Amino acid sequence: MKTKIFKSVVVLTMILFAFSCENDAMDGLVREDRQIVSFKLNGQVGPAIITPIGDDEGVVDIFAVMAGIDLNAVLPLVEISEKATISPNPNESANFNTNGGSFVYTITSESGKTRKWKVNLKPFVSEIDGDWGVTSFKFDWFIGKGESWGWGENNADLTAALSDAGLEKDNTLELVTTLVNESGNPEGTFDFGSGADMEFARFIVNPDHAGQVKDYSSRFRKMPIGKGVFEYNVAGKVLTLWRGNKSGISIEGKVTKSDTGTISIAFDNWVNEFTWDHWGAESQIQNSYTIYYNFVSL
């Protein structure tokens, strides 16, 4: 037993010694890395696109909301390779107006090799910004949702189940990005208007299966009426809306943009409230789990 323990200690000592020697060898190397690792500035949307070119050049593309950025005096936050240096000093303002929205930094490695990085500052154009008109208002429903049985329909016309939902079809939505937050997500304002008929959809069944008036607005009034603010998660394609300002209740919608430029915003509206004492349209309404606003650019 003592012999086995002794052998184990010897092996471990040899491994540690070899590892130590390897580290010492690495410490003696002169680094040639001369990369821009990250590049950030106020108003930037998403991470910088960093592309080395050959052995001594590179390009950094930055997309940003240009409002509020003084191109004559840009102060970025730049991270570069370890033990490398950068010129000009990024702590001093750079004039991006001198070369059509571009500026060149030179990174010099520890070994003295250089790479010139051309940083291009480009206007961010949001895929959701603009004036939009509702073309259709649809929903998904499924009887037996979460079960191994059932039936339903995807993208059914909501007006077939709730006729006054059709009042939403001429509504308009204006989205304007005004800034980019610390998470890199665009924020801005929205205005959901009533359109030519000056009315918004009503989600009322009169009468319902019991002969009463049943208001389903809490299920289907997901798009806030009037003016408010939004945040758009570009990576996840999630649009968060607040009526008025961010102190109120928020609602999240999933954005899909087609190749033809139309957009769709889908809201989750599932509530498990189905009963078996009625059929037809009201059953579909009670078993709706997603509603869709489909928009075209105006």
Side-chain angles (χ1 to χ4, degrees):
M1 177 63 72
K2 289 183 180 180
T3 301
K4 290 183 178 180
I5 294 175
F6 176 76
K7 288 182 179 179
S8 298
V9 171
V10 171
V11 171
L12 180 59
T13 302
M14 293 175 64
I15 292 173
L16 291 174
F17 178 77
F19 182 74
S20 176
C21 291
E22 182 179 348
N23 281 348
D24 291 339
M26 292 295 292
D27 289 341
L29 291 178
V30 177
R31 299 176 185 272
E32 295 189 347
D33 295 343
R34 53 204 183 279
Q35 309 295 323
I36 286 183
V37 178
S38 70
F39 193 102
K40 299 177 182 178
L41 50 80
N42 291 334
Q44 181 174 325
V45 180
I49 302 172
I50 302 171
T51 308
I53 300 174
D55 192 52
D56 56 7
E57 292 182 325
V59 173
V60 180
D61 289 322
I62 305 290
F63 292 90
V65 176
M66 304 306 291
I69 295 179
D70 182 2
L71 291 178
N72 295 304
V74 176
L75 279 171
L77 180 63
V78 186
E79 181 183 355
I80 63 174
S81 299
E82 186 178 356
K83 295 189 177 183
T85 58
I86 181 171
S87 178
N89 188 340
N91 292 326
E92 300 174 359
S93 61
N95 189 344
F96 275 70
N97 257 335
T98 58
N99 191 25
S102 299
F103 193 82
V104 175
Y105 290 94
T106 299
I107 309 295
T108 303
S109 70
E110 183 185 19
S111 68
K113 298 186 71 172
T114 62
R115 184 188 294 272
K116 292 186 180 295
W117 290 91
K118 183 179 182 181
V119 180
N120 302 311
L121 186 53
K122 301 180 179 182
F124 167 71
V125 180
S126 172
E127 63 182 349
I128 65 171
D129 272 15
D131 295 316
W132 303 91
V134 178
T135 56
S136 61
F137 192 17
K138 299 191 174 184
F139 75 123
D140 297 335
W141 61 272
F142 191 82
I143 295 176
K145 186 173 184 292
E147 304 292 340
S148 59
W149 59 273
W151 64 94
E153 185 175 347
N154 292 332
N155 279 295
D157 189 346
L158 187 58
T159 62
L162 284 165
S163 59
D164 283 347
L167 296 171
E168 210 88 338
K169 283 188 174 181
D170 67 339
N171 288 6
T172 59
L173 176 64
E174 178 189 58
L175 294 164
V176 179
T177 296
T178 57
L179 61 90
V180 176
N181 61 30
E182 293 179 353
S183 300
N185 293 331
E187 295 188 19
T189 62
F190 75 85
D191 188 356
F192 187 56
S194 59
D197 62 9
M198 304 298 291
E199 293 192 82
F200 293 93
R202 293 183 288 269
F203 308 103
I204 297 174
V205 177
N206 185 16
D208 68 356
H209 66 284
Q212 306 296 318
V213 177
K214 185 65 179 290
D215 188 349
Y216 287 93
S217 296
S218 62
R219 291 281 303 276
F220 291 90
R221 172 46 66 202
K222 297 299 182 181
M223 182 71 73
I225 292 173
K227 299 179 184 295
V229 297
F230 73 83
E231 178 177 347
Y232 183 48
N233 184 311
V234 177
K237 306 297 183 184
V238 175
L239 178 67
T240 305
L241 303 166
W242 292 264
R243 186 175 181 182
N245 55 57
K246 283 190 174 182
S247 64
I249 298 173
S250 64
I251 178 71
E252 291 185 352
K254 185 75 172 180
V255 176
T256 304
K257 188 169 186 179
S258 71
D259 293 337
T260 58
T262 62
I263 64 170
S264 176
I265 305 177
F267 298 97
D268 180 5
N269 73 328
W270 168 248
V271 175
N272 190 9
E273 64 177 11
F274 179 69
T275 62
W276 283 104
D277 59 352
H278 58 286
W279 303 90
E282 195 177 353
S283 297
Q284 298 172 17
I285 294 167
Q286 285 198 1
N287 284 273
S288 171
Y289 59 91
T290 310
I291 59 171
Y292 302 85
Y293 281 87
N294 297 316
F295 297 90
V296 65
S297 180
L298 296 178

